[in-house]
Amino acid sequence: PGPNVPPVYGLEVSDLQRWEEDVVKPALEIVESFIQGREPPAEPLRMEQDEENKRSHRVCELCDRIIIGDREWAAHTRSKSHLHHLKKRRKLEASKHARGTLGDSGDTETSDEDGSLPLP
C-alpha cells in the first residue's frame, strides 16, 4: 500500500485444471486495461493502509542510538541489546535505591542532648 504502488488483484489459483480461464485470461485482461488506460474488469484487493511512520525519529538514550521508523523502533525495543541495557539500568537503580534507604533505616532514637528520653 502506498501512493506509488499499483493496485493488486487476486485471482483464483487453486484449480490447476482451470489455470487458463481463472488465471491467465483475467491477468492478461487486467494488464491490457492498465496499458490502455481503461478500467480493469476486476476489482483490486483492498489493502489495509499501514499507519507506520517510516520517517519517525527517536533517540534511545539507554542504548545511545538514533532509531528511524516505527517498525525499527519496535524491533529495537525488543532487541537483545536494548533489553540487556534495560536490565543493567534497572539493576543499577535498584542498588542505588537500596543504598539510599539503608542510611534512612529509622533505627536511630531521638533523644535530648543529655541522652535522656523526652518527658510526656
Side-chain angles (χ1 to χ4, degrees):
N4 298 327
V5 178
V8 175
Y9 295 87
L11 301 172
E12 178 59 49
V13 297
S14 60
D15 187 0
L16 293 177
Q17 303 297 331
R18 297 185 40 88
W19 186 262
E20 285 290 323
E21 303 88 51
D22 291 347
V23 179
V24 176
K25 186 179 175 189
L28 289 174
E29 289 175 0
I30 291 168
V31 171
E32 279 180 22
S33 66
F34 183 74
I35 291 171
Q36 296 172 359
R38 292 184 289 115
E39 191 69 30
E43 285 291 316
L45 296 175
R46 301 288 297 156
M47 304 291 281
E48 283 188 31
Q49 289 285 344
D50 195 359
E51 296 298 321
E52 154 189 20
N53 183 354
K54 294 178 183 172
R55 294 188 174 119
S56 67
H57 172 195
R58 298 184 188 183
V59 177
C60 179
E61 293 180 9
L62 191 63
C63 301
D64 193 30
R65 292 185 61 193
I66 297 171
I67 311 295
I68 298 172
D70 290 347
R71 184 176 295 162
E72 287 75 11
W73 177 255
H76 172 72
T77 57
R78 292 187 308 264
S79 72
K80 193 180 240 184
S81 172
H82 180 79
L83 294 174
H84 170 74
H85 283 98
L86 186 61
K87 184 177 178 182
K88 197 171 169 183
R89 173 166 294 172
R90 285 183 179 157
K91 190 174 183 180
L92 180 67
E93 287 175 355
S95 68
K96 281 183 182 178
H97 181 69
R99 279 185 288 183
T101 57
L102 192 61
D104 299 333
S105 62
D107 291 342
T108 59
E109 291 184 23
T110 56
S111 62
D112 290 341
E113 288 181 8
D114 64 351
S116 62
L117 293 173
L119 296 172

